[in-house]
Amino acid sequence: MSDPKPKVILAYSGGLDTSVILKWLSEKGFDVIAFCANVGQYEEDFEAVKTKAVSCGALKCVVTDLRKEFVTDYVFEAVKCNAIYESRYLLGTSIARPCIAKEMIRIANEEGAQYIAHGATGKGNDQVRFEMCAQALSPTIQAVAPWRDAEFIESFKGRSDLLAYCEKHGIPVDAKPKANYSIDENLFHTSYESGCLEDAFCGPEESMFKMTVSPKAAPDEPEVIQIEFKNGIPIKLTNTTDGTVKEDPLELFLYCNQIAGKHGIGRIDIVENRFVGIKSRGVYETPGGTLLREAHLDLEGICMDREVKRITEGLSAEFARLCYNGFWFAPEMELIRNSITFSQRDVEGIVEMELYKGNITVRGRKSDKALYNADLASMDIEGGGDAFDYNPADAQGFIRINSVRLKTYAALRAKDEK
C-alpha cells in the first residue's frame, strides 16, 4: 500500500493565481483542500468558487462565513484602541489575516493536514501575516508558499505563463478584462495597489472605487447619525434623519459602510512601509471604520482620564504595528488588548455626527460616565462649583513648580552663549 498523500489547506480565492497554485500543488503530490473565507468580499459568488476549486483538483472546498466573528473579534478590537498604522492606514487587510489564519488552522486540525498554502507574493506583508499567525496557533504546521519557490517562479514569470498553464489544464479563466491594479477586499475595506498605481504620482481612476462615492458626487443634503458605545464598543446606531436603527454588530457595521460610503467618507491614497522593508503605494476605502474611529475618539475625550489616554495612545500605536506585521497572536499583543479592554470600562455614551461630502462633523456627545464637568470647566464660575474644591489661585504655585526645570535649562543655555 502506498503512503497517503500529504494534505494541504490552501487559502483559495478562485482567482488566477490560487487556481494555478491549486493545480500545481496537486501535481506535486498533495491532497489539496481549498479554503475560502467569507469576510464580506464584494459580490463574491462562493458557490462558483467551490465549483471551480473542485474542478481544479481540490478534494473539496470549504467556505466559512466569518463576517460576524471578523466584526466582533477583530474590527471592533481595532475600533476600541483607535488603531491606525503610520497615522493613516486603518489596517483593513492586516486585521483580516489573523481571522482567516485561525480558521485555516481549525480546518487543518479537523482534516489532519500537515501543511497550509497561500498565494501571497514574496515581496508583501501577507506571507508574513499568514505564516506567523498559523505558527502561533499550530507550532508544527508547515507552510507552502509557491511565490517563494524557485521552481514555481521559474515556471510562471508572468500572467501569460499562468494563462497558458490554465489552458493546458482546462482551468476556467474569468473572461472579464483584468484591472490594471490588484484588489483585496473585505467588509472592513477595499484596497488597490500595484499595476498602474505603482507610479506614486498616478492618481486612481474614479471607476475603481467600490465602497464609496466621490465626495463631489455625494448627496447635497447632510445626514445626522448617533452612535452609542459601551465599554468602547459600538452597540447601536441611529440615523436621526430617516429613523434607521441598527444594533446587531454585523448589521451595524455594514450600515456604517453604507451611510459613510454614500457620503464619500473613508478614502485615502498613501505610501506606507511594509514589514519586509519595501515602501508600497496603496489606495484604500474604509468608510465604516473611519466613521467609528472618529466617534470613538470623540467619546474617549469626555470619558477617559488624561493619563490613561496618554498611555493608551502608545498602546494604540503598538497594536497597529503588531497587527500590521503579523503578530496578532503574540503575547505582547495579548497584553495590549487586555490593557485596552481595561481602559474602556467607562467609555460609554452617545456621539452625534453629521455626514456631508467626505466630511464627518461631530455635533455633540453625552455619557453617564463623563469625566467632563461643565461647572469645573466654566469660565463663568470662579471655583469648581458645588462638587469640586478648585481655587484658581492655586494655579500660581502649579505654574511655578512646573517652571523650575525650564528655568534651569534656560540658565544652562545662557552660560553657553557667554
Side-chain angles (χ1 to χ4, degrees), residues 24 28 146 149-156:
W24 184 81
K28 292 298 173 185
D149 182 275
E151 180 187 345
F152 186 90
I153 293 170
E154 180 63 28
S155 300
F156 303 103

Side-chain angles (χ1 to χ4, degrees), residues 14-267:
L16 177 62
D17 284 28
T18 54
S19 294
V20 168
I21 288 170
L22 196 164
K23 189 66 177 179
W24 184 81
L25 288 170
S26 297
E27 289 188 320
K28 292 298 173 185
F30 287 96
D31 275 340
V32 183
I33 297 172
F35 161 58
C36 183
N38 177 1
V39 284
Q41 298 93 313
Y42 182 72
E43 294 184 346
E44 184 69 84
D45 184 346
F46 291 103
E47 286 304 314
V49 170
K50 290 171 73 172
T51 300
K52 185 173 182 179
V54 173
S55 73
C56 291
L59 296 181
K60 61 180 175 179
C61 180
V62 179
V63 175
T64 310
D65 187 348
L66 298 173
R67 291 176 300 164
K68 191 161 189 174
E69 178 184 342
F70 181 41
V71 169
T72 58
D73 296 357
Y74 298 88
V75 173
F76 283 178
E77 287 293 295
V79 170
K80 268 175 25 181
C81 73
N82 309 310
I84 192 165
Y85 179 69
E86 295 187 336
S87 302
R88 304 180 76 186
Y89 172 49
L90 293 179
L91 302 166
T93 298
S94 318
I95 207 161
R97 296 318 185 218
C99 181
I100 295 169
K102 182 180 177 183
E103 180 64 6
M104 282 186 79
I105 294 302
R106 186 196 68 78
I107 295 169
N109 290 337
E110 187 177 88
E111 296 289 344
Q114 304 89 5
Y115 299 86
I116 60 165
H118 57 78
T121 73
K123 286 188 173 182
N125 293 310
D126 279 344
Q127 57 176 338
V128 180
R129 294 168 183 153
F130 276 127
E131 294 180 38
M132 297 274 278
C133 288
Q135 291 178 31
L137 295 169
S138 179
T140 61
I141 201 77
Q142 298 181 63
V144 180
W147 285 116
R148 297 199 306 260
D149 182 275
E151 180 187 345
F152 186 90
I153 293 170
E154 180 63 28
S155 300
F156 303 103
K157 294 183 177 179
R159 182 174 168 83
S160 60
D161 290 333
L162 294 168
L163 291 171
Y165 185 85
C166 289
E167 183 176 359
K168 177 181 176 182
H169 293 279
I171 299 172
V173 176
D174 193 339
K176 292 186 295 185
K178 178 178 169 58
N180 192 21
Y181 43 81
S182 68
I183 303 172
D184 178 78
E185 55 188 324
N186 56 55
L187 57 80
F188 193 30
H189 90 156
T190 302
S191 71
Y192 311 88
E193 61 181 14
S194 74
C196 61
L197 298 175
E198 289 176 351
D199 178 353
F201 200 71
C202 174
E205 297 178 2
E206 183 58 37
S207 60
M208 182 177 79
F209 295 99
K210 296 185 175 188
M211 300 177 76
T212 60
V213 302
S214 166
K216 296 176 184 177
D220 293 329
E221 295 298 322
E223 280 186 275
V224 176
I225 64 169
Q226 293 181 351
I227 301 177
E228 182 176 352
F229 290 82
K230 185 173 179 62
N231 298 328
I233 295 171
I235 60 170
K236 184 178 181 180
L237 185 150
T238 304
N239 184 329
T240 63
T241 303
D242 67 11
T244 299
V245 176
K246 299 291 182 183
E247 294 181 319
D248 174 80
L250 178 57
E251 291 181 6
L252 185 154
F253 190 79
L254 292 176
Y255 187 73
C256 283
N257 277 341
Q258 177 187 329
I259 194 167
K262 170 184 173 182
H263 290 279
I265 291 164
R267 292 184 183 183

